[in-house]
Amino acid sequence: MNNNLFAGIPEELTRFTQLPNQEGHNAVWDFVRSPDDRFYVSVCGENEKPLTALLYEYYPKSGELRLIFDVAKVWIVDSQQMPPSKIHTSIDFLPDGRLIMATHNTAPAPGHKQWMYEQYYEHPWEGYPGSILMIVDPDTNEVQVRGIPVPRESMYGGMLGNDPRYYYFLGYMRGHLYRIDLETNEVKDYGKVSEFSSCRLVKDAQGRLYGSSYTGGIWRFDPEREKVQDLKVNFVSPNGTKHRRQFIFAVHSPRNSLFLVDNMDGEMIELHTETLAVTRHGPIHLRNETPVNPYGIGGLAADDNFVLYYGLKTYDGYFPIRLVRWDILKGGEPENLGLIAPQGKDSQYICEMIFDRDGWLHMVDVCGEFSPYILAVDLKKLQPPGPGAPNVPLRPYTEPDYNDVGRPAFMHIVAGGTRTMPLHQYMSWNDTAVRHVRSIAERVFTINGGAQVLLAESDAGTGRLMQTTVIYDGGAPLSCVDVDGRRTAVLTADGKIVETDLQAGTGTIIFETPEGTKLTKLHLTLKGNRLLASDPAGAVYVCDPQKRSLQLLHGLVLTEPDAHPIRLDDDRLLLSGAADELVLYDLAEERAVTLPVKVPSIRGRTFRATVTGGAALADGTVVAGTADGMLFTLSADHRKTTSYARLYSSGQLRCFVRRNGEEVFGVYGGARDAGHVFHFSREHGFTDLGRPRVIKDNAELRELDSEWASIHSISCLAYSPEDDSLCVGSGELYGCVVRYTNVAVPGQGGELG
């Protein structure tokens, strides 16, 4: 079959509408048709300019446009902050005819060299304040701003439930699913459902919502049960590549199923929503033109006979995006209908396509030399180009690389080797939050479990999960500490302490908390395998499993839940006292002595000077961090502190682990911060190593044979000197571990990218 790949869609069957781009707007990421047959299109700024989004009504018969509003006119836009540059896959329709939608951001602040949504996540002035939710009356142009549902988060896709009180949306940065009650303004967070950005939601006939992770794992949310269900159905690249595999388009079929397709190297999956059976219809590319390089899909629509139409973008040589049709229910194969290049205006990508009542298909072009525009095509007359169809005169276009800051903007941890252990691909998501991690002999062990204690063993070289073992089935793990080189003690939700032999895969109950006492945290291991633990009130105990005893330590109370005692030797602990005081506690004598030095603090909030982590170096110097993110050292004679300031304006320092007698690794940030890993040595000071993210849009990670990862909430670290490996665990219910070998430290010969 001759596809005549260089032929275009005949001009006489099309109508071209230029969308406003005089100010630099070059994209559209929402193009919708309402139940009363009105069309709306959002014009956006992509990447390079600090623009705000515009919303127009589009009249399909004439191609005319009517401006409804400019976001800059309805919301305060600070010139130092990243603007609301988009309305992105979030427009839906309330029963009274009004529109609901949210802003999104991929544009820089005026003073930035590029879009830096992660680099400035915590910055109060130059970051992104968060997306705003709006309700718009298209008849009066009145815009009701409902505010910022999730501070600092960019809303990336949204949809009303069958109950129109509830609007569901996805978070770009964190990858969470949220719901806002439009009557009470209450926001619910249903947890992490993607590594990070994944924008598309679709509903079935029963009102259940479907989405996917960035790596193509499809999930379903049931509003009645308010539960996310991982369907364990994944989009798979026919070439085995690990590009963006998230679900991007969907259509409802006449046989009560959903046809779903992913972003890159796309395949068409039919999901039968009542049985959850899956039919894989194959890749979207032309069968006798199998692409060598990854290919993308742009737009998806079905006509009245459920013939599918979509844009196919290939990268084997220069081609604009082409229109393809697929009579899929009748067993057909994808057919080429021609390149989308009206009047020589090559389209690089189609974001959406919609049929009107007359059978014309309206396609929106984005991110090209002439973007954005709408091309309407009379599909009743369009046929595949024959052998005599003229070629389109191609004028190759390459989108400028606006991210010209380069390596200084990269945030990932630089290491000799990087490998993601994607636990969420193998385990139930409810069990994947990592409570504890160890690396032993080319195996990575994690303690997990939502209702029981699970031990997961992954291959450090491939990242694949080898096995999971139920260590204890009476309660979830609350807290863990290492006992020795292969054993870990686990405190469970029902008050047991279970000792786990990681390599043997066994667990033994070694202690049961006495009735009337509730332990919430294990802090460290003492001489004789005794354990230091605390209760909700901050009282501290020594648990001796051999003697079956629990001894309350008198004169020792943790000042807040995140307070962390540091073991100096077999008999002494260092921890916070009142406000910025430091206390030395003698375990044998049960006596506390307040030291003559103070913990470094932020003026006016000394109550945030609580020590939340630390470690002792070989010469007795203590490295410690506070709830306010201050890092300091305490001399071996306990008479002098030296402060090394902090990384950001919020977030504690915790999870300190020694690399050797002179260096430590640790974690910056709590559950709501964007977690970083830091390094300290006295020679080089306090160094931010970056975020545990394996995002292969960065040039030096693009060819890395590892899964994607973006850990926001870091739960734990583990360092193994035998192979110089550092493991970083995720604390969220879409859990993974990223393992680094030979971590590079800037200033010690390490490069930043």
Coordinates of all heavy atoms in Angstrom, one line a residue, residues 293-345:
N293 N 11.9 6.0 15.5 CA 12.0 6.9 16.7 C 10.6 6.9 17.4 O 9.6 6.6 16.7 CB 12.4 8.3 16.4 CG 13.9 8.3 15.9 OD1 14.7 7.8 16.5 ND2 14.1 8.9 14.7
P294 N 10.5 7.3 18.7 CA 9.2 7.4 19.3 C 8.3 8.4 18.6 O 8.7 9.4 18.0 CB 9.6 8.0 20.7 CG 11.0 7.6 20.9 CD 11.7 7.6 19.6
Y295 N 7.0 8.0 18.6 CA 6.0 8.8 17.9 C 5.0 9.3 18.9 O 4.8 8.7 20.0 CB 5.4 8.0 16.7 CG 4.9 6.7 17.2 CD1 3.5 6.5 17.6 CD2 5.7 5.5 17.2 CE1 3.1 5.3 18.1 CE2 5.2 4.3 17.7 CZ 3.9 4.2 18.1 OH 3.4 3.0 18.5
G296 N 4.2 10.3 18.5 CA 3.2 10.8 19.4 C 1.9 10.9 18.8 O 1.7 10.9 17.6
I297 N 0.8 11.1 19.6 CA -0.5 11.2 19.2 C -1.0 12.7 19.5 O -0.6 13.2 20.6 CB -1.5 10.2 19.8 CG1 -2.9 10.3 19.2 CG2 -1.6 10.3 21.3 CD1 -3.8 9.2 19.5
G298 N -1.8 13.3 18.6 CA -2.3 14.6 18.9 C -3.8 14.7 18.6 O -4.2 14.6 17.4
G299 N -4.6 14.7 19.6 CA -6.0 14.7 19.4 C -6.6 13.4 19.2 O -5.9 12.5 18.7
L300 N -7.9 13.2 19.5 CA -8.6 11.9 19.3 C -10.1 12.2 19.3 O -10.6 12.9 20.2 CB -8.3 10.9 20.3 CG -9.0 9.5 20.2 CD1 -8.6 8.8 19.0 CD2 -8.8 8.7 21.5
A301 N -10.8 11.8 18.2 CA -12.2 12.0 18.1 C -12.8 10.8 17.3 O -12.1 10.2 16.6 CB -12.5 13.3 17.4
A302 N -14.1 10.6 17.5 CA -14.8 9.5 16.8 C -16.0 10.1 16.2 O -16.7 11.0 16.7 CB -15.2 8.4 17.8
D303 N -16.3 9.7 14.9 CA -17.5 10.2 14.2 C -18.7 9.4 14.6 O -18.6 8.5 15.5 CB -17.2 10.2 12.7 CG -17.1 8.8 12.1 OD1 -17.4 7.8 12.8 OD2 -16.6 8.7 11.0
D304 N -19.8 9.6 13.9 CA -21.1 9.0 14.3 C -21.0 7.5 14.1 O -21.8 6.8 14.7 CB -22.2 9.6 13.5 CG -22.5 11.0 13.9 OD1 -22.1 11.4 15.0 OD2 -23.1 11.8 13.1
N305 N -20.1 7.0 13.3 CA -20.0 5.6 13.1 C -18.9 5.0 13.9 O -18.5 3.8 13.7 CB -19.7 5.3 11.6 CG -20.9 5.7 10.7 OD1 -22.1 5.4 11.0 ND2 -20.6 6.5 9.6
F306 N -18.3 5.7 14.8 CA -17.2 5.4 15.7 C -16.0 5.0 14.9 O -15.3 4.0 15.2 CB -17.6 4.3 16.7 CG -16.6 4.3 17.9 CD1 -16.7 5.3 18.8 CD2 -15.6 3.4 18.0 CE1 -15.8 5.3 19.9 CE2 -14.7 3.4 19.0 CZ -14.8 4.4 20.0
V307 N -15.7 5.8 13.8 CA -14.4 5.7 13.2 C -13.6 6.7 13.9 O -14.0 7.9 14.1 CB -14.6 6.1 11.7 CG1 -13.2 6.1 11.0 CG2 -15.5 5.1 11.0
L308 N -12.4 6.3 14.3 CA -11.5 7.2 15.1 C -10.6 8.0 14.2 O -10.2 7.6 13.1 CB -10.5 6.3 15.9 CG -11.2 5.4 17.0 CD1 -10.1 4.6 17.7 CD2 -12.1 6.2 17.9
Y309 N -10.4 9.3 14.6 CA -9.5 10.2 13.9 C -8.5 10.8 14.9 O -8.9 11.1 16.1 CB -10.3 11.4 13.3 CG -11.2 10.9 12.1 CD1 -12.4 10.4 12.4 CD2 -10.8 11.1 10.8 CE1 -13.3 9.9 11.3 CE2 -11.6 10.6 9.8 CZ -12.8 10.1 10.0 OH -13.6 9.7 9.0
Y310 N -7.3 10.9 14.5 CA -6.3 11.4 15.4 C -5.1 12.0 14.6 O -4.9 11.7 13.4 CB -5.8 10.4 16.4 CG -5.3 9.1 15.9 CD1 -4.0 8.9 15.5 CD2 -6.1 8.0 15.7 CE1 -3.5 7.7 15.0 CE2 -5.7 6.8 15.2 CZ -4.4 6.7 14.8 OH -3.9 5.5 14.3
G311 N -4.2 12.7 15.3 CA -3.0 13.2 14.7 C -1.9 12.3 15.1 O -1.8 11.8 16.2
L312 N -1.0 12.0 14.1 CA 0.1 11.1 14.3 C 1.4 11.9 14.0 O 1.6 12.4 12.9 CB 0.1 9.9 13.4 CG 1.3 9.0 13.4 CD1 1.4 8.3 14.8 CD2 1.1 7.9 12.3
K313 N 2.3 12.1 15.0 CA 3.5 12.8 14.8 C 4.7 11.8 14.9 O 4.8 11.1 15.9 CB 3.7 13.9 15.9 CG 5.0 14.7 15.9 CD 5.1 15.5 14.6 CE 6.3 16.4 14.7 NZ 6.5 17.2 13.4
T314 N 5.4 11.8 13.8 CA 6.6 10.9 13.7 C 7.9 11.8 13.6 O 7.8 12.9 13.2 CB 6.5 10.0 12.5 OG1 6.3 10.7 11.3 CG2 5.4 9.0 12.7
Y315 N 9.0 11.2 13.9 CA 10.3 11.9 14.0 C 11.4 11.2 13.2 O 12.5 11.4 13.4 CB 10.7 12.1 15.5 CG 9.7 12.9 16.3 CD1 8.7 12.2 17.0 CD2 9.8 14.2 16.3 CE1 7.8 12.9 17.7 CE2 8.9 15.0 17.1 CZ 7.9 14.3 17.8 OH 7.0 15.0 18.5
D316 N 11.0 10.4 12.2 CA 12.0 9.8 11.3 C 12.1 10.7 10.1 O 11.4 10.6 9.1 CB 11.5 8.4 10.9 CG 11.4 7.4 12.0 OD1 11.9 7.7 13.1 OD2 10.7 6.4 11.9
G317 N 13.0 11.7 10.2 CA 13.0 12.7 9.3 C 11.9 13.8 9.6 O 11.2 13.6 10.6
Y318 N 11.8 14.8 8.8 CA 10.9 15.9 9.1 C 9.5 15.7 8.5 O 9.4 15.5 7.3 CB 11.4 17.3 8.6 CG 10.4 18.4 8.9 CD1 10.2 18.9 10.1 CD2 9.6 18.8 7.8 CE1 9.2 19.8 10.4 CE2 8.6 19.8 8.0 CZ 8.4 20.3 9.3 OH 7.5 21.2 9.5
F319 N 8.5 15.6 9.3 CA 7.1 15.6 8.9 C 6.3 16.4 9.8 O 6.5 16.3 11.1 CB 6.5 14.2 8.9 CG 6.9 13.3 7.7 CD1 7.8 12.3 7.9 CD2 6.4 13.6 6.5 CE1 8.2 11.5 6.8 CE2 6.8 12.8 5.4 CZ 7.7 11.7 5.6
P320 N 5.4 17.3 9.3 CA 4.4 17.8 10.2 C 3.5 16.7 10.7 O 3.6 15.5 10.3 CB 3.5 18.8 9.3 CG 4.4 19.0 8.1 CD 5.2 17.7 7.9
I321 N 2.6 17.0 11.7 CA 1.7 16.0 12.2 C 0.7 15.7 11.0 O 0.3 16.5 10.2 CB 1.0 16.5 13.5 CG1 0.4 15.3 14.2 CG2 0.0 17.6 13.2 CD1 -0.1 15.6 15.6
R322 N 0.3 14.4 11.0 CA -0.7 14.0 9.9 C -2.0 13.6 10.5 O -2.0 13.1 11.7 CB -0.1 12.9 9.0 CG 0.1 11.6 9.7 CD 0.7 10.6 8.8 NE 2.1 10.9 8.3 CZ 2.4 11.3 7.1 NH1 1.4 11.4 6.2 NH2 3.6 11.6 6.8
L323 N -3.1 13.6 9.8 CA -4.4 13.2 10.2 C -4.5 11.7 9.8 O -4.2 11.3 8.7 CB -5.5 14.0 9.6 CG -6.9 13.6 10.0 CD1 -7.1 13.8 11.5 CD2 -7.9 14.5 9.2
V324 N -5.0 10.9 10.8 CA -5.1 9.4 10.5 C -6.5 9.0 10.9 O -7.1 9.6 11.9 CB -4.1 8.6 11.4 CG1 -4.3 7.2 11.3 CG2 -2.7 9.0 10.9
R325 N -7.1 8.1 10.2 CA -8.4 7.5 10.7 C -8.2 6.0 10.8 O -7.4 5.4 10.2 CB -9.5 7.9 9.7 CG -9.5 7.1 8.4 CD -10.7 7.5 7.5 NE -10.6 6.8 6.2 CZ -11.4 7.1 5.2 NH1 -12.2 8.2 5.2 NH2 -11.3 6.4 4.0
W326 N -9.1 5.5 11.7 CA -9.0 4.1 12.0 C -10.4 3.5 12.3 O -11.0 3.9 13.3 CB -8.1 3.9 13.3 CG -7.8 2.5 13.6 CD1 -8.2 1.3 13.0 CD2 -6.9 2.1 14.6 NE1 -7.6 0.2 13.6 CE2 -6.8 0.7 14.6 CE3 -6.1 2.8 15.6 CZ2 -6.0 -0.1 15.5 CZ3 -5.3 2.0 16.5 CH2 -5.3 0.6 16.4
D327 N -10.9 2.7 11.4 CA -12.3 2.1 11.6 C -12.1 0.9 12.5 O -12.0 -0.3 12.0 CB -12.9 1.7 10.2 CG -14.3 1.4 10.3 OD1 -14.8 1.3 11.5 OD2 -15.0 1.2 9.3
I328 N -11.9 1.1 13.7 CA -11.4 0.1 14.7 C -12.4 -1.0 15.0 O -12.0 -2.1 15.2 CB -10.8 0.8 15.9 CG1 -9.9 0.0 16.7 CG2 -12.0 1.3 16.8 CD1 -9.0 0.7 17.7
L329 N -13.6 -0.7 15.1 CA -14.6 -1.7 15.5 C -14.9 -2.7 14.4 O -15.3 -3.8 14.6 CB -15.9 -1.0 15.9 CG -15.9 -0.2 17.2 CD1 -17.3 0.2 17.6 CD2 -15.2 -1.0 18.4
K330 N -14.6 -2.3 13.1 CA -14.8 -3.1 12.0 C -13.5 -3.9 11.6 O -13.5 -4.5 10.5 CB -15.4 -2.4 10.8 CG -16.8 -1.9 11.1 CD -17.4 -1.1 9.8 CE -18.8 -0.7 10.1 NZ -19.3 0.1 8.9
G331 N -12.5 -3.8 12.4 CA -11.3 -4.5 12.2 C -10.4 -3.8 11.2 O -9.4 -4.5 10.7
G332 N -10.5 -2.5 10.9 CA -9.7 -1.8 10.0 C -8.3 -1.5 10.6 O -8.0 -1.9 11.7
E333 N -7.5 -0.9 9.8 CA -6.2 -0.5 10.3 C -6.0 1.0 10.1 O -6.8 1.6 9.3 CB -5.1 -1.2 9.5 CG -5.0 -2.7 9.7 CD -4.5 -3.1 11.0 OE1 -4.2 -2.2 11.8 OE2 -4.4 -4.3 11.3
P334 N -5.1 1.7 10.8 CA -4.9 3.1 10.6 C -4.6 3.5 9.2 O -3.8 2.8 8.5 CB -3.7 3.4 11.5 CG -3.7 2.3 12.6 CD -4.2 1.1 11.8
E335 N -5.3 4.6 8.7 CA -5.1 5.1 7.3 C -4.6 6.5 7.4 O -5.1 7.4 8.1 CB -6.4 5.0 6.6 CG -7.0 3.7 6.4 CD -8.4 3.8 5.7 OE1 -9.4 4.1 6.4 OE2 -8.4 3.7 4.4
N336 N -3.7 6.8 6.5 CA -3.2 8.2 6.4 C -4.1 9.0 5.6 O -4.5 8.7 4.5 CB -1.8 8.1 5.7 CG -1.3 9.5 5.3 OD1 -1.4 10.5 6.1 ND2 -0.8 9.7 4.1
L337 N -4.5 10.2 6.1 CA -5.4 11.1 5.4 C -4.7 12.4 5.0 O -5.3 13.3 4.4 CB -6.6 11.5 6.3 CG -7.6 10.4 6.6 CD1 -8.7 10.9 7.5 CD2 -8.2 9.8 5.4
G338 N -3.4 12.5 5.3 CA -2.6 13.6 4.8 C -2.0 14.5 5.9 O -2.5 14.5 7.0
L339 N -1.0 15.2 5.5 CA -0.3 16.1 6.4 C -1.1 17.3 6.7 O -1.9 17.8 5.9 CB 1.1 16.5 5.9 CG 2.1 15.4 5.6 CD1 3.3 16.0 4.9 CD2 2.5 14.8 7.0
I340 N -1.0 17.8 8.0 CA -1.7 19.0 8.4 C -0.8 20.2 8.2 O 0.1 20.5 9.0 CB -2.2 18.9 9.8 CG1 -3.1 17.7 10.0 CG2 -2.9 20.2 10.2 CD1 -3.5 17.4 11.4
A341 N -0.9 20.9 7.0 CA 0.0 22.0 6.7 C -0.8 23.0 5.8 O -0.4 23.2 4.6 CB 1.2 21.5 5.9
P342 N -1.8 23.6 6.3 CA -2.7 24.5 5.5 C -1.8 25.7 5.1 O -1.2 26.4 5.9 CB -3.8 24.9 6.5 CG -3.2 24.7 7.9 CD -2.3 23.5 7.7
Q343 N -1.9 26.0 3.8 CA -1.2 27.2 3.2 C 0.3 27.2 3.6 O 0.9 28.2 3.8 CB -1.9 28.5 3.7 CG -3.4 28.6 3.5 CD -4.0 29.6 4.4 OE1 -3.5 30.6 4.7 NE2 -5.3 29.3 4.8
G344 N 0.8 26.0 3.7 CA 2.2 25.9 4.1 C 2.5 26.1 5.5 O 3.7 26.2 5.9
K345 N 1.5 26.2 6.3 CA 1.7 26.4 7.8 C 1.7 25.1 8.5 O 0.7 24.6 9.0 CB 0.6 27.3 8.3 CG 0.7 28.7 7.7 CD -0.4 29.6 8.2 CE -0.2 31.0 7.7 NZ -1.3 31.9 7.6

